Amino acid sequence: MKSENFDTYLLPTIQDMPHIDIIAVENHDRAGPLGAKVIGEPVLELGAAALNNAVCFALEKRNRQLPLTLERVRLGYNLKKPERQSELMAEGAEHKQVLRLNTLRMATPKNLDEALRMLARENSQPIAGGTDVLVQARLKTDEVELVNIAGLQELRQIEELNDELIIGSGVCFTDLVRHPQIKARYPLLVTACKTIGSLQLRNQATRRREYR
């Protein structure tokens, strides 16, 4: 199926779907809380309604708007919040440039030596997981060259040197949590890594280091 744009494209609806028998297979998920596993968006939609019902039952007052902020629960309405930095930027002439990340250039080195030469240039910054770098890049207006170090195997190693563990800058948080030596010698680090974001985020995110 090919269409030039969505103006003439007929989107399928629920009436176009055939009958589907849904079978939920229950099994223990090590990554979920107490072994629980999400089966899709329906469970997310029910959580807010259940929490709202609990609050309304406790206060004996019905609330029909989300999110349940402290002001809405106590006062019945939301106070005006300070404008976000992204909203302030939307008023300026550089709005499109900032939000569309037009100021970024990506370079992928073939080895560690080439990466170091690229990072020596002005306004260059390494990127591995990209979970923080790309978000913060939206707040910048000057040109930035990102050096993609995610594919460098030299930086994805955890090695022991003089009774110390050397953690490469390309090691993600999931690898830190699963490494046997880190679990045995630095259990507090493992606990801290498990509190960072979701499992998907930990699979992608790496430790951050500032280059000046």
Side-chain angles (χ1 to χ4, degrees):
M1 183 178 297
K2 183 177 180 181
S3 180
E4 295 182 355
N5 53 58
F6 284 107
D7 294 337
T8 57
Y9 178 66
L10 182 61
L11 294 173
T13 66
I14 190 63
Q15 296 181 352
D16 301 313
M17 294 294 296
H19 176 74
I20 299 177
D21 293 325
I22 301 177
I23 302 176
V25 179
E26 298 183 4
N27 63 328
H28 183 81
D29 187 358
R30 293 185 300 174
L34 303 179
K37 180 170 61 175
V38 176
I39 61 174
E41 294 180 359
V43 295
L44 301 178
E45 297 170 353
L46 298 177
L51 180 60
N52 187 28
N53 283 337
V55 173
C56 294
F57 178 80
L59 300 180
E60 298 182 350
K61 182 174 63 174
R62 174 59 60 182
N63 176 70
R64 301 187 183 278
Q65 291 187 12
L66 295 176
L68 282 178
T69 61
L70 179 61
E71 306 92 77
R72 176 159 296 282
V73 172
R74 297 298 299 271
L75 303 177
Y77 59 91
N78 285 327
L79 299 176
K80 181 175 176 57
K81 301 292 184 181
E83 291 183 302
R84 299 179 180 178
Q85 189 169 4
S86 59
E87 295 172 347
L88 295 175
M89 287 183 175
E91 303 297 331
E94 298 174 340
H95 168 57
K96 292 184 178 180
Q97 185 182 32
V98 173
L99 295 185
R100 293 183 181 179
L101 301 177
N102 290 341
T103 58
L104 297 182
R105 292 180 290 110
M106 179 79 73
T108 303
K110 298 179 180 179
N111 50 58
L112 184 57
D113 291 336
E114 186 178 1
L116 293 176
R117 289 195 298 269
M118 291 179 177
L119 290 172
R121 296 197 289 258
E122 187 178 0
N123 292 333
S124 63
Q125 182 177 353
I127 179 173
T131 54
D132 285 335
V133 173
L134 293 180
V135 173
Q136 295 176 2
R138 295 180 180 274
L139 305 180
K140 299 180 180 180
T141 56
D142 54 335
E143 289 192 2
V144 177
E145 180 181 9
L146 298 179
V147 180
N148 184 12
I149 62 174
L152 300 180
Q153 293 300 320
E154 305 99 309
L155 302 180
R156 300 178 65 90
Q157 305 296 326
I158 301 178
E159 301 176 342
E160 186 173 4
L161 180 63
N162 298 330
D163 201 31
E164 295 182 353
L165 288 181
I166 307 300
I167 302 174
S169 56
V171 177
C172 66
F173 286 104
T174 298
D175 292 337
L176 289 176
V177 170
R178 295 177 178 176
H179 196 274
Q181 287 184 290
I182 292 181
K183 289 195 294 185
R185 297 167 58 175
Y186 307 105
L188 184 59
L189 176 61
V190 173
T191 302
C193 291
K194 289 182 178 180
T195 64
I196 298 176
S198 62
L199 178 61
Q200 294 86 346
L201 184 64
R202 294 194 295 271
N203 289 339
Q204 183 74 13
T206 61
R207 299 177 302 110
R208 179 174 175 81
R209 176 182 175 185
E210 293 289 347
Y211 283 79
R212 301 184 183 275

